[in-house]
Amino acid sequence: MNNEANQPAKRSNPGGLRVDRENRETVGEPFIEDPRMTCRNVDVFYGDKHAIINVSLDIGKNEVISMIGPSGCGKSTFIRCLNRMNDTIDTCRVRGQIKLDGRDIYDESIDVVPLRAQVGMVFQKPNPFPKSIYQNVAYGPRIHGLAQSKEELDEIVETSLRKAGLWDEVKDRLDQPGTALSGGQQQRLCIARAIAVSPEIILMDEPCSALDPIATARIENLIDELRHNYTIAIVTHSMQQASRVSQRTAYFHLGDLIEIGPTEIIFTNPKHQLTEDYITGRFG
Amino acid sequence: MAPSTLFLSILVLAVAAYVIGRKRSYSVVGGARKLRELHSRPTYYGMLTALGCGIPALLILGIWQAFEETVITRLITAGLPENIRTLPESRLNLIINDVKNLVSGNIVSKEVDPAMQAAADHYTRLQSISHASMAVVCLVLGIMAIAIIRKIITPKLRARNAVETVTKIILVACSSIAIFTTLGIVLSVLFEAIRFFKAVAVTEFLFGLQWSPQMAIRADQVGSSGAFGAVPVFAGTLMISAIAMTVAVPVGLMSAIYLSEYATSKVRAAAKPLMEILAGIPTVVYGFFAALTVAPVIRDSGGLMGLDVSSESALAAGVVMGIMIIPFVSSLSDDVINAVPQVLRDGAYGLGATRSETIRNVVIPAALPGIVGSILLAVSRAIGETMIVVMAAGLAANLTANPLQTVTTVTVQIVTLLVGDQEFDSPKTLAAFALGLVLFVATLFLNIIALHVVRKYREQYE
Ligand SMILES: Nc1ncnc2c1ncn2[C@@H]1O[C@H](COP(=O)(O)OP(=O)(O)OP(=O)(O)O)[C@@H](O)[C@H]1O
Ligand SMILES: [Mg+2]
């Protein structure tokens, strides 16, 4: 979208003073009108380690929100809270309130299985199942009973692969193992697999970190298209990527949500000193 | 110098060679500062010297030792008086033996006759000459090697490559020991089996339905003509292994799944070693358990249901054997299931799969090669197991499909055929080798199939 991130001159903040480094209150606009998901005072612990500290933010409809921050700051931990993937980690405890369409997803009456079908996830490392390409995509719809017949299933597989931009490359070899694809193809396969269960929200944890620039560009285009039908939360280490694909950006630092707001503001005019340091590469 | 002292001296010499070679490398390059100009690190020059000194000397020592006795014996035989030398071979051997006993100070059966005493003295003399010359040859060789290698050490000498080549040769030699031993065993079994098949037709052995290997030892004995149809024995092995696997595979696999997917790490840490204890119990104890506890229970409960159960049954042996091999399946499967990357599970969970769906559709298929491997290991363990069967399944070679009857297995028959005083050329004893051969071929095929299966799944799942 823009390259201002690389041009410090435009980022001057003549109006106000920067928020001091020591201040860990969230600055910016964490809340929006008519949100899809709302997170309030979320704390996450691994055993005794306090990995996410009192984070509150909203995720809007049909928006791409990116989460950036130095390694180990808790981006993955936070995003994994949104579909309760942290439940699979024994030592992990989540406190606070996370609501999807007004329902608390950590409520006891909520079953994680439909929740995760509704909030899909794409992981940092492509992780296709040891099955054929077709079976990889068909797996989700099959376990959720989304297709009544073989034809319907075929159709879901085809549309998902088309949306992920992989159809033309694999349509002649759907019965080959998904693990035999290249890294970028595997990642698109994983995206196709995630869309096949028609989630409403897709969480992506550094989906491009293992990919070359061309594959990355394809996935970024894909995210841009998917935005019209889905809500997407993406963790990324690339500030260019965040500025290209997302409408809002959240900056995490050692478990705190430091700053959140519209992407171009975060990258052109950050209010917090830590954000400024990070995006100008002065961190660490 | 006694051979053992010589051996130690060579080792000491080799250590010295190491030090000398190392020092030399420093001095040829001109001190520790310039080590970079040396092709290899100084230790390699040391090792090269040590190997060059030690290996030829040790080889000579070994060869000398191997041939010394034969040569000396030849020499003293030649020196014996004419009347003894012309004795028949077997008598001559006895006398030579006496001479050797005399040399080593053992009491001889007869009065010591002067010719023998002379021969013994001659023997001792020859032996000491031989030892002395061996020591001289070995040590001179070693020292010469040190001198030569010290000469040829230059900064350009590719000592590391030379040492690595020698190391490789040693490694190859070690691995061929295992291969040649296997080959030797196979050949000897094959050879004996062929002798057996000269007496009993292959077809009769493989397809005959009657197994009663008692042969008449003397011509006037009656009733034991010997029948070598091995089908009942194979069938017994198959049945007991099958029963064992029906117990071990489901139980083992499910406990593996529980341990790796459901148990908390604390439970797992405690339960896994406990299960592995099962594998450490001596099989005799299992045999006891099978014969004294399980078999009576089966017989009694069978009796209640109006079934005719013999007190030693295939079922009892098979079930207990199955319990014994549970840890083979569970422990290995648990390891491979644990090795399935967490990201695969996450992928399934992230699609909204339940835990059991994830296990069934993702984890197990990914772990399948290892699981198949563990099952095949358990099968070969079951086929080879003897003790439990001897104690709990009986010895009678019944051809039956009824697990409540007494049956016998290949290994048990091998044991009973060879236990006690036996002639080593009667078909009865040779039959053991034929059975062993069949067992070997069967496990070989099993392994080949296993490898094939594993490779196929690898291709599919990697
Ligand atoms: N399973 C776990 N058990 C204990 N601590 C964990 C676990 N996973 C993460 N942590 C800790 O929680 C903190 C946040 O980790 P997280 O993976 O969320 O960071 P991240 O922002 O995603 O980093 P990166 O950019 O490197 O992926 C780190 O300090 C990490 O050491
Ligand atoms: Mg991460």
Side-chain angles (χ1 to χ4, degrees), chain A residues 59-284:
Chain A
I59 298 175
K61 288 201 170 79
N62 296 352
E63 79 167 354
V64 178
I65 179 168
S66 60
M67 313 199 173
I68 59 172
S71 185
C73 66
K75 308 176 294 288
S76 302
T77 304
F78 182 73
I79 205 174
R80 286 166 63 94
C81 292
L82 300 179
N83 67 346
R84 295 185 54 177
M85 280 304 285
N86 282 333
D87 290 13
T88 61
I89 300 174
D90 281 346
T91 56
C92 186
R93 280 179 302 125
V94 179
R95 241 174 29 199
Q97 199 182 49
I98 301 178
K99 284 185 174 171
L100 170 61
D101 298 329
R103 280 181 312 146
D104 186 348
I105 63 169
Y106 280 86
D107 191 84
E108 274 171 20
S109 65
I110 294 282
D111 184 7
V112 292
V113 168
L115 170 72
R116 289 185 189 145
Q118 205 178 355
V119 186
M121 183 144 196
V122 176
F123 298 84
Q124 172 167 7
K125 234 182 108 211
N127 56 349
F129 299 136
K131 298 175 188 295
S132 70
I133 295 173
Y134 182 92
Q135 293 300 339
N136 258 287
V137 184
Y139 181 68
R142 190 172 281 153
I143 58 174
H144 293 296
L146 297 185
Q148 308 301 324
S149 63
K150 176 91 175 73
E151 288 71 44
E152 265 181 74
L153 194 59
D154 287 349
E155 201 184 307
I156 294 178
V157 170
E158 179 173 342
T159 42
S160 309
L161 283 169
R162 274 193 198 285
K163 278 191 202 159
L166 191 61
W167 174 252
D168 291 329
E169 285 158 69
V170 301
K171 61 171 182 269
D172 301 321
R173 46 172 177 153
L174 289 174
D175 52 349
Q176 282 184 12
T179 42
L181 296 171
S182 77
Q185 289 171 329
Q186 286 186 15
Q187 192 62 298
R188 277 179 282 150
L189 179 63
C190 292
I191 293 177
R193 184 176 76 182
I195 4 192
V197 291
S198 349
E200 292 153 32
I201 297 169
I202 304 177
L203 311 174
M204 298 183 171
D205 191 350
E206 296 179 44
C208 302
S209 63
L211 304 187
D212 73 8
I214 294 172
T216 303
R218 299 187 73 140
I219 290 185
E220 286 177 7
N221 287 337
L222 173 63
I223 293 172
D224 227 31
E225 281 164 32
L226 293 177
R227 176 162 66 92
H228 303 297
N229 303 314
Y230 306 88
T231 298
I232 296 173
I234 176 172
V235 170
T236 175
H237 273 149
S238 153
M239 277 166 277
Q240 281 83 358
Q241 182 167 70
S243 61
R244 281 192 297 262
V245 301
S246 70
Q247 286 78 54
R248 284 166 77 230
T249 296
Y251 172 69
F252 287 79
H253 186 94
L254 295 177
D256 291 295
L257 174 58
I258 296 296
E259 183 162 356
I260 178 169
T263 299
E264 59 283 2
I265 297 199
I266 295 282
F267 282 108
T268 54
N269 201 356
K271 297 195 184 62
H272 202 290
Q273 189 62 46
L274 284 168
T275 320
E276 156 92 18
D277 289 352
Y278 182 71
I279 60 182
T280 52
R282 237 180 288 152
F283 178 83

Side-chain angles (χ1 to χ4, degrees), chain B residues 99-124:
Chain B
V99 171
K100 282 182 192 162
N101 282 339
L102 207 56
V103 169
S104 56
N106 290 349
I107 305 120
V108 202
S109 45
K110 290 176 288 182
E111 288 278 286
V112 181
D113 100 41
M116 296 257 290
Q117 187 61 53
D121 292 343
H122 190 194
Y123 193 103
T124 325

Side-chain angles (χ1 to χ4, degrees), chain B residues 82-348:
Chain B
E82 181 67 36
N83 60 335
I84 301 181
R85 225 181 331 139
T86 48
L87 282 174
E89 176 113 17
S90 51
R91 290 289 314 278
L92 189 63
N93 278 345
L94 276 180
I95 287 176
I96 303 254
N97 244 338
D98 280 350
V99 171
K100 282 182 192 162
N101 282 339
L102 207 56
V103 169
S104 56
N106 290 349
I107 305 120
V108 202
S109 45
K110 290 176 288 182
E111 288 278 286
V112 181
D113 100 41
M116 296 257 290
Q117 187 61 53
D121 292 343
H122 190 194
Y123 193 103
T124 325
R125 221 165 32 249
L126 284 177
Q127 201 173 31
S128 56
I129 292 175
S130 151
H131 282 172
S133 43
M134 175 168 74
V136 170
V137 169
C138 289
L139 293 179
V140 166
L141 200 68
I143 291 168
M144 259 167 57
I146 296 180
I148 292 173
I149 296 179
R150 193 173 174 280
K151 253 267 158 64
I152 62 172
I153 289 180
T154 58
K156 290 240 161 62
L157 180 67
R158 298 155 74 86
R160 178 168 47 80
N161 309 40
V163 170
E164 273 163 6
T165 315
V166 174
T167 319
K168 203 171 90 191
I169 292 172
I170 294 174
L171 293 180
V172 169
C174 288
S175 56
S176 27
I177 287 178
I179 294 171
F180 283 119
T181 316
T182 319
L183 210 64
I185 293 176
V186 171
L187 285 182
S188 76
V189 169
L190 188 67
F191 191 66
E192 300 291 333
I194 287 173
R195 279 177 63 195
F196 170 75
F197 288 129
K198 277 185 191 141
V200 177
V202 181
T203 45
E204 192 203 324
F205 176 73
L206 287 181
F207 304 113
L209 302 182
Q210 195 67 36
W211 177 265
S212 84
Q214 292 309 323
M215 295 278 286
I217 294 178
R218 292 188 314 275
D220 56 338
Q221 277 182 328
V222 284
S224 316
S225 57
F228 293 97
V231 169
V233 182
F234 298 146
T237 300
L238 274 185
M239 178 153 69
I240 292 191
S241 306
I243 295 172
M245 296 320 288
T246 353
V247 174
V249 170
V251 176
L253 211 52
M254 287 187 201
S255 38
I257 290 172
Y258 169 72
L259 282 182
S260 56
E261 299 291 310
Y262 290 93
T264 60
S265 48
K266 263 190 209 149
V267 173
R268 181 165 186 267
K272 208 176 170 202
L274 278 180
M275 291 197 62
E276 280 164 5
I277 288 178
L278 275 183
I281 298 175
T283 55
V284 169
V285 177
Y286 280 108
F288 251 70
F289 176 58
L292 301 182
T293 314
V294 179
V297 167
I298 290 179
R299 189 191 49 215
D300 294 347
S301 47
L304 284 182
M305 287 184 279
L307 292 170
D308 175 29
V309 187
S310 58
S311 59
E312 296 180 317
S313 64
L315 190 59
V319 167
V320 174
M321 193 192 282
I323 293 172
M324 181 189 80
I325 56 184
I326 285 173
F328 283 80
V329 180
S330 72
S331 195
L332 279 175
S333 302
D334 173 55
D335 287 343
V336 292
I337 291 177
N338 248 311
V340 171
Q342 181 63 31
V343 290
L344 274 187
R345 294 188 183 90
D346 283 352

